[in-house]
PDB file of all heavy atoms in Angstrom:
ATOM      1  N   VAL E  83      16.582 -16.514  18.962  1.00 96.00           N
ATOM      2  CA  VAL E  83      16.326 -17.359  17.795  1.00 96.00           C
ATOM      3  C   VAL E  83      15.152 -18.291  18.114  1.00 96.00           C
ATOM      4  O   VAL E  83      15.132 -18.920  19.174  1.00 96.00           O
ATOM      5  CB  VAL E  83      17.570 -18.180  17.424  1.00 96.00           C
ATOM      6  CG1 VAL E  83      17.291 -19.077  16.247  1.00 96.00           C
ATOM      7  CG2 VAL E  83      18.742 -17.269  17.118  1.00 96.00           C
ATOM      8  N   LYS E  84      14.187 -18.337  17.195  1.00 96.00           N
ATOM      9  CA  LYS E  84      12.988 -19.158  17.406  1.00 96.00           C
ATOM     10  C   LYS E  84      12.725 -20.020  16.172  1.00 96.00           C
ATOM     11  O   LYS E  84      13.213 -19.721  15.083  1.00 96.00           O
ATOM     12  CB  LYS E  84      11.792 -18.257  17.669  1.00 96.00           C
ATOM     13  CG  LYS E  84      11.884 -17.422  18.935  1.00 96.00           C
ATOM     14  CD  LYS E  84      10.828 -16.381  19.045  1.00 96.00           C
ATOM     15  CE  LYS E  84      11.094 -15.115  18.298  1.00 96.00           C
ATOM     16  NZ  LYS E  84      12.224 -14.304  18.710  1.00 96.00           N
ATOM     17  N   ASN E  85      11.963 -21.085  16.392  1.00 97.00           N
ATOM     18  CA  ASN E  85      11.519 -21.944  15.268  1.00 97.00           C
ATOM     19  C   ASN E  85      10.091 -21.533  14.944  1.00 97.00           C
ATOM     20  O   ASN E  85       9.266 -21.403  15.840  1.00 97.00           O
ATOM     21  CB  ASN E  85      11.534 -23.411  15.686  1.00 97.00           C
ATOM     22  CG  ASN E  85      12.849 -23.818  16.283  1.00 97.00           C
ATOM     23  OD1 ASN E  85      13.892 -23.615  15.700  1.00 97.00           O
ATOM     24  ND2 ASN E  85      12.824 -24.378  17.481  1.00 97.00           N
ATOM     25  N   PHE E  86       9.821 -21.330  13.664  1.00 98.00           N
ATOM     26  CA  PHE E  86       8.478 -20.923  13.242  1.00 98.00           C
ATOM     27  C   PHE E  86       7.874 -21.974  12.335  1.00 98.00           C
ATOM     28  O   PHE E  86       8.513 -22.451  11.406  1.00 98.00           O
ATOM     29  CB  PHE E  86       8.525 -19.577  12.502  1.00 98.00           C
ATOM     30  CG  PHE E  86       8.880 -18.438  13.409  1.00 98.00           C
ATOM     31  CD1 PHE E  86      10.158 -17.915  13.417  1.00 98.00           C
ATOM     32  CD2 PHE E  86       7.939 -17.870  14.243  1.00 98.00           C
ATOM     33  CE1 PHE E  86      10.511 -16.870  14.258  1.00 98.00           C
ATOM     34  CE2 PHE E  86       8.274 -16.808  15.081  1.00 98.00           C
ATOM     35  CZ  PHE E  86       9.548 -16.331  15.088  1.00 98.00           C
ATOM     36  N   GLY E  87       6.619 -22.318  12.607  1.00 98.00           N
ATOM     37  CA  GLY E  87       5.848 -23.184  11.727  1.00 98.00           C
ATOM     38  C   GLY E  87       4.876 -22.328  10.941  1.00 98.00           C
ATOM     39  O   GLY E  87       4.193 -21.475  11.509  1.00 98.00           O
ATOM     40  N   GLU E 104       8.731 -25.115   8.018  1.00 98.00           N
ATOM     41  CA  GLU E 104       9.382 -24.640   9.243  1.00 98.00           C
ATOM     42  C   GLU E 104      10.623 -23.830   8.884  1.00 98.00           C
ATOM     43  O   GLU E 104      11.381 -24.195   7.978  1.00 98.00           O
ATOM     44  CB  GLU E 104       9.792 -25.827  10.117  1.00 98.00           C
ATOM     45  CG  GLU E 104       8.657 -26.426  10.862  1.00 98.00           C
ATOM     46  CD  GLU E 104       9.070 -27.602  11.729  1.00 98.00           C
ATOM     47  OE1 GLU E 104      10.236 -28.038  11.687  1.00 98.00           O
ATOM     48  OE2 GLU E 104       8.176 -28.096  12.433  1.00 98.00           O
ATOM     49  N   TYR E 105      10.804 -22.753   9.623  1.00 97.00           N
ATOM     50  CA  TYR E 105      11.972 -21.890   9.451  1.00 97.00           C
ATOM     51  C   TYR E 105      12.508 -21.494  10.817  1.00 97.00           C
ATOM     52  O   TYR E 105      11.775 -21.478  11.793  1.00 97.00           O
ATOM     53  CB  TYR E 105      11.606 -20.621   8.647  1.00 97.00           C
ATOM     54  CG  TYR E 105      11.184 -20.955   7.243  1.00 97.00           C
ATOM     55  CD1 TYR E 105       9.843 -21.060   6.908  1.00 97.00           C
ATOM     56  CD2 TYR E 105      12.122 -21.192   6.250  1.00 97.00           C
ATOM     57  CE1 TYR E 105       9.434 -21.379   5.641  1.00 97.00           C
ATOM     58  CE2 TYR E 105      11.727 -21.527   4.965  1.00 97.00           C
ATOM     59  CZ  TYR E 105      10.390 -21.608   4.654  1.00 97.00           C
ATOM     60  OH  TYR E 105       9.992 -21.930   3.403  1.00 97.00           O
ATOM     61  N   ARG E 106      13.786 -21.149  10.825  1.00 96.00           N
ATOM     62  CA  ARG E 106      14.446 -20.720  12.059  1.00 96.00           C
ATOM     63  C   ARG E 106      14.867 -19.285  11.843  1.00 96.00           C
ATOM     64  O   ARG E 106      15.619 -18.998  10.913  1.00 96.00           O
ATOM     65  CB  ARG E 106      15.651 -21.639  12.278  1.00 96.00           C
ATOM     66  CG  ARG E 106      16.017 -21.814  13.707  1.00 96.00           C
ATOM     67  CD  ARG E 106      17.010 -22.943  13.798  1.00 96.00           C
ATOM     68  NE  ARG E 106      17.992 -22.688  14.816  1.00 96.00           N
ATOM     69  CZ  ARG E 106      17.771 -22.811  16.095  1.00 96.00           C
ATOM     70  NH1 ARG E 106      16.590 -23.215  16.493  1.00 96.00           N
ATOM     71  NH2 ARG E 106      18.710 -22.558  16.968  1.00 96.00           N
ATOM     72  N   ASP E 107      14.396 -18.405  12.682  1.00 97.00           N
ATOM     73  CA  ASP E 107      14.715 -16.976  12.499  1.00 97.00           C
ATOM     74  C   ASP E 107      14.557 -16.238  13.830  1.00 97.00           C
ATOM     75  O   ASP E 107      14.052 -16.800  14.796  1.00 97.00           O
ATOM     76  CB  ASP E 107      13.772 -16.382  11.447  1.00 97.00           C
ATOM     77  CG  ASP E 107      14.423 -15.249  10.690  1.00 97.00           C
ATOM     78  OD1 ASP E 107      14.681 -14.195  11.329  1.00 97.00           O
ATOM     79  OD2 ASP E 107      14.704 -15.396   9.489  1.00 97.00           O
ATOM     80  N   GLU E 138       3.171 -19.554  13.646  1.00 96.00           N
ATOM     81  CA  GLU E 138       3.388 -19.505  15.100  1.00 96.00           C
ATOM     82  C   GLU E 138       4.735 -20.096  15.471  1.00 96.00           C
ATOM     83  O   GLU E 138       5.334 -20.868  14.698  1.00 96.00           O
ATOM     84  CB  GLU E 138       2.262 -20.211  15.846  1.00 96.00           C
ATOM     85  CG  GLU E 138       2.081 -21.665  15.526  1.00 96.00           C
ATOM     86  CD  GLU E 138       0.866 -22.254  16.227  1.00 96.00           C
ATOM     87  OE1 GLU E 138      -0.177 -21.584  16.322  1.00 96.00           O
ATOM     88  OE2 GLU E 138       0.975 -23.402  16.660  1.00 96.00           O
ATOM     89  N   SER E 139       5.213 -19.714  16.643  1.00 97.00           N
ATOM     90  CA  SER E 139       6.475 -20.214  17.156  1.00 97.00           C
ATOM     91  C   SER E 139       6.274 -21.666  17.597  1.00 97.00           C
ATOM     92  O   SER E 139       5.270 -21.987  18.228  1.00 97.00           O
ATOM     93  CB  SER E 139       6.892 -19.351  18.338  1.00 97.00           C
ATOM     94  OG  SER E 139       8.174 -19.723  18.750  1.00 97.00           O
ATOM     95  N   VAL E 140       7.231 -22.527  17.248  1.00 97.00           N
ATOM     96  CA  VAL E 140       7.120 -23.962  17.542  1.00 97.00           C
ATOM     97  C   VAL E 140       8.238 -24.342  18.513  1.00 97.00           C
ATOM     98  O   VAL E 140       9.390 -23.933  18.330  1.00 97.00           O
ATOM     99  CB  VAL E 140       7.249 -24.787  16.241  1.00 97.00           C
ATOM    100  CG1 VAL E 140       7.145 -26.271  16.533  1.00 97.00           C
ATOM    101  CG2 VAL E 140       6.205 -24.368  15.239  1.00 97.00           C
ATOM    102  N   ALA E 141       7.913 -25.104  19.534  1.00 97.00           N
ATOM    103  CA  ALA E 141       8.924 -25.582  20.487  1.00 97.00           C
ATOM    104  C   ALA E 141       9.896 -26.543  19.778  1.00 97.00           C
ATOM    105  O   ALA E 141       9.532 -27.195  18.802  1.00 97.00           O
ATOM    106  CB  ALA E 141       8.246 -26.298  21.651  1.00 97.00           C
ATOM    107  N   ALA E 142      11.121 -26.608  20.300  1.00 95.00           N
ATOM    108  CA  ALA E 142      12.167 -27.426  19.661  1.00 95.00           C
ATOM    109  C   ALA E 142      11.791 -28.897  19.549  1.00 95.00           C
ATOM    110  O   ALA E 142      12.063 -29.539  18.548  1.00 95.00           O
ATOM    111  CB  ALA E 142      13.479 -27.271  20.432  1.00 95.00           C
ATOM    112  N   ASN E 143      11.110 -29.427  20.564  1.00 95.00           N
ATOM    113  CA  ASN E 143      10.734 -30.856  20.531  1.00 95.00           C
ATOM    114  C   ASN E 143       9.546 -31.136  19.610  1.00 95.00           C
ATOM    115  O   ASN E 143       9.256 -32.280  19.293  1.00 95.00           O
ATOM    116  CB  ASN E 143      10.442 -31.371  21.944  1.00 95.00           C
ATOM    117  CG  ASN E 143       9.313 -30.651  22.635  1.00 95.00           C
ATOM    118  OD1 ASN E 143       8.889 -29.578  22.185  1.00 95.00           O
ATOM    119  ND2 ASN E 143       8.793 -31.219  23.700  1.00 95.00           N
ATOM    120  N   CYS E 145       9.315 -29.675  16.505  1.00 96.00           N
ATOM    121  CA  CYS E 145       9.740 -29.403  15.142  1.00 96.00           C
ATOM    122  C   CYS E 145       9.811 -30.719  14.361  1.00 96.00           C
ATOM    123  O   CYS E 145      10.243 -31.735  14.889  1.00 96.00           O
ATOM    124  CB  CYS E 145      11.088 -28.711  15.103  1.00 96.00           C
ATOM    125  SG  CYS E 145      11.002 -27.002  15.623  1.00 96.00           S
ATOM    126  N   VAL E 150      15.560 -27.785  10.266  1.00 95.00           N
ATOM    127  CA  VAL E 150      15.426 -27.013  11.499  1.00 95.00           C
ATOM    128  C   VAL E 150      15.977 -27.824  12.678  1.00 95.00           C
ATOM    129  O   VAL E 150      16.693 -27.294  13.521  1.00 95.00           O
ATOM    130  CB  VAL E 150      13.973 -26.606  11.748  1.00 95.00           C
ATOM    131  CG1 VAL E 150      13.780 -25.950  13.100  1.00 95.00           C
ATOM    132  CG2 VAL E 150      13.491 -25.663  10.653  1.00 95.00           C
ATOM    133  N   THR E 151      15.645 -29.107  12.731  1.00 95.00           N
ATOM    134  CA  THR E 151      16.048 -29.951  13.883  1.00 95.00           C
ATOM    135  C   THR E 151      17.547 -30.171  13.963  1.00 95.00           C
ATOM    136  O   THR E 151      18.062 -30.402  15.046  1.00 95.00           O
ATOM    137  CB  THR E 151      15.333 -31.308  13.868  1.00 95.00           C
ATOM    138  OG1 THR E 151      15.574 -31.948  12.619  1.00 95.00           O
ATOM    139  CG2 THR E 151      13.855 -31.175  14.096  1.00 95.00           C
ATOM    140  N   MET E 153      19.723 -28.006  13.856  1.00 94.00           N
ATOM    141  CA  MET E 153      20.301 -26.888  14.620  1.00 94.00           C
ATOM    142  C   MET E 153      20.036 -27.005  16.118  1.00 94.00           C
ATOM    143  O   MET E 153      20.526 -26.185  16.877  1.00 94.00           O
ATOM    144  CB  MET E 153      19.714 -25.560  14.114  1.00 94.00           C
ATOM    145  CG  MET E 153      19.937 -25.334  12.652  1.00 94.00           C
ATOM    146  SD  MET E 153      21.654 -25.420  12.196  1.00 94.00           S
ATOM    147  CE  MET E 153      21.987 -23.762  11.832  1.00 94.00           C
ATOM    148  N   HIS E 154      19.284 -28.012  16.549  1.00 94.00           N
ATOM    149  CA  HIS E 154      18.930 -28.147  17.952  1.00 94.00           C
ATOM    150  C   HIS E 154      19.965 -28.893  18.786  1.00 94.00           C
ATOM    151  O   HIS E 154      19.758 -29.112  19.962  1.00 94.00           O
ATOM    152  CB  HIS E 154      17.563 -28.855  18.096  1.00 94.00           C
ATOM    153  CG  HIS E 154      16.457 -28.045  17.526  1.00 94.00           C
ATOM    154  ND1 HIS E 154      15.251 -28.590  17.163  1.00 94.00           N
ATOM    155  CD2 HIS E 154      16.348 -26.730  17.205  1.00 94.00           C
ATOM    156  CE1 HIS E 154      14.465 -27.669  16.691  1.00 94.00           C
ATOM    157  NE2 HIS E 154      15.105 -26.528  16.691  1.00 94.00           N
TER     158      HIS E 154
END
Side-chain angles (χ1 to χ4, degrees):
V83 179
K84 296 170 278 296
N85 309 307
F86 291 101
E104 282 179 356
Y105 296 97
R106 209 168 143 77
D107 210 293
E138 60 185 39
S139 187
V140 180
N143 61 344
C145 288
V150 173
T151 54
M153 303 305 250
H154 295 160

